[in-house]
Amino acid sequence: MKNELIAIIGWLTLVQGALGAGGQFFGDEAWGLLHKWWDIPTAGYVVLLFAGIALAWWGERAKQQAKA
């Protein structure tokens, strides 16, 4: 259960980071949900993107190891 939760949080963080960075890079404002509550700079969204990648990878890898 813990590994599934880590993976879900990782994927959500990854998507929000990608949408925020992509929106600020290709558009005039961030996309996604986080920009409605906080004013996050592009570098912050990139950090969220990489944190999401790390959490999703960790959670998915732990789920695979638990099945084996």
Side-chain angles (χ1 to χ4, degrees), residues 4-67:
E4 293 173 3
L5 186 60
I6 290 171
I8 290 170
I9 291 171
W11 284 111
L12 290 174
T13 305
L14 185 150
V15 168
Q16 287 299 311
L19 286 173
Q24 288 185 348
F25 188 72
F26 295 113
D28 46 345
E29 68 176 19
W31 302 326
L33 189 62
L34 294 179
H35 78 280
K36 297 194 181 286
W37 294 315
W38 297 289
D39 185 26
I40 302 172
T42 305
Y45 282 114
V46 172
V47 168
L48 286 172
L49 173 68
F50 285 114
I53 289 170
L55 285 173
W57 178 79
W58 180 28
E60 295 294 333
R61 185 164 169 94
K63 285 194 314 188
Q64 287 177 351
Q65 288 178 349
K67 287 182 182 178

